[in-house]
């Protein structure tokens, strides 16, 4: 069973923001990941995830990753379609 995370801290270039649910984490990744890497950690500093742009890179909690991907992937695809006219998953 995955840990509960009542609050997480998202970090990107010059930005730190409290995140309270999966939706906010996905939004943070998409909003700031277009400008560079993002990290999300617990208030105690334990790393939960890092990204390479808007895409997940390292994730320490695989159950959390599964839940996050359900929300994150459609947002990533929307960004890809807006930028490139198609989502990368559509070309396979």
């Amino acid at each position: 069973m995955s840990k509960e995370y009542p609050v997480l801290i998202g970090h990107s270039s010059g930005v730190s923001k409290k995140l309270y649910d999966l939706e906010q984490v996905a939004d943070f990744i998409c909003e700031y990941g277009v400008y560079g890497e993002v990290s999300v950690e617990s208030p105690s500093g334990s790393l939960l995830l890092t990204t390479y742009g808007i895409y997940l890179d390292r994730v320490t909690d695989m159950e959390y990753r599964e839940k996050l991907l359900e929300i994150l992937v459609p947002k990533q695809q929307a960004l890809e379609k807006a930028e490139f006219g198609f989502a990368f998953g559509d070309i396979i």
Side-chain angles (χ1 to χ4, degrees), residues 3-86:
K3 270 176 85 173
E4 291 294 322
Y5 302 101
V7 65
L8 293 166
I9 312 295
H11 300 283
S12 189
S13 297
V15 177
S16 292
K17 184 175 181 181
K18 289 184 180 180
L19 308 169
Y20 296 98
D21 58 31
L22 288 163
E23 188 80 29
Q24 289 182 354
V25 171
D27 287 343
F28 186 83
I29 291 169
C30 289
E31 182 176 351
Y32 294 100
V34 295
Y35 303 110
E37 282 69 39
V38 168
S39 65
V40 176
E41 61 186 33
S42 70
S44 67
S46 297
L47 185 66
L48 178 60
L49 65 86
T50 62
T51 72
Y52 183 77
I54 63 170
Y55 305 103
L56 296 179
D57 183 27
R58 292 178 291 171
V59 184
T60 60
D61 182 337
M62 291 299 118
E63 289 183 37
Y64 184 87
R65 176 187 174 274
E66 287 180 36
K67 293 175 186 174
L68 177 60
L69 284 174
E70 291 175 16
I71 298 168
L72 181 59
V73 168
K75 293 176 184 290
Q76 290 169 327
Q77 290 173 335
L79 284 172
E80 292 167 350
K81 286 179 183 176
E83 183 68 23
F84 304 109
F86 63 92

